[in-house]
Amino acid sequence: MAGKDPYAGIEYDEINEVTGLEVDEIKCLKNCFDLFDSKKQEFLSADDLDEILRAMGFRPSKEELIAILEEIDEDGSGEIEFGEFCQLCAKFLVEDPDIET
């Protein structure tokens, strides 16, 4: 018995155009998004964003968290939809060319 496609409705081309992320990266982020969206609301809250950033090793202050939320919350809803989540993650996934390795 086939279940619901967890990737149905994702606008890969649109997300790729904005973020540069590839389809496999977008699918991976969808899995992460769904893990944090435990209530299956199709969005994440500011508290979820704080938890995500801390899980990634960042420790934003309340002011930094608000600034990040305002930057990525394109529609001003106070909620982070999947496309906005991809934009946020793309910022952390893209390597900084100025950093020497």
Side-chain angles (χ1 to χ4, degrees):
M1 183 169 99
K4 182 183 170 193
D5 179 3
Y7 309 114
I10 295 176
E11 300 289 339
Y12 293 104
D13 291 338
E14 185 178 317
I15 293 172
N16 173 267
E17 187 176 316
V18 174
T19 65
L21 295 171
E22 298 299 328
V23 170
D24 60 335
E25 294 171 315
I26 294 168
K27 285 183 174 182
C28 181
L29 290 177
K30 176 62 174 160
N31 291 330
C32 294
F33 181 88
D34 288 346
L35 287 173
F36 285 101
D37 181 22
S38 57
K39 296 177 187 171
K40 305 299 177 219
Q41 303 175 98
E42 300 296 320
F43 67 85
L44 303 175
S45 68
D47 287 341
D48 294 325
L49 177 60
D50 185 46
E51 186 178 339
I52 291 165
L53 292 173
R54 290 182 183 281
M56 294 170 62
F58 299 98
R59 302 287 182 257
S61 67
K62 186 171 183 168
E63 293 77 19
E64 290 169 327
L65 188 63
I66 291 168
I68 292 169
L69 183 60
E70 287 175 352
E71 181 180 340
I72 63 166
D73 184 20
E74 294 179 340
D75 58 8
S77 65
E79 300 164 346
I80 303 161
E81 288 85 18
F82 179 65
E84 295 168 335
F85 176 74
C86 287
Q87 290 179 42
L88 169 68
C89 292
K91 291 176 186 279
F92 293 102
L93 293 173
V94 174
E95 291 184 35
D96 186 340
D98 296 332
I99 297 176
E100 293 182 24
T101 54

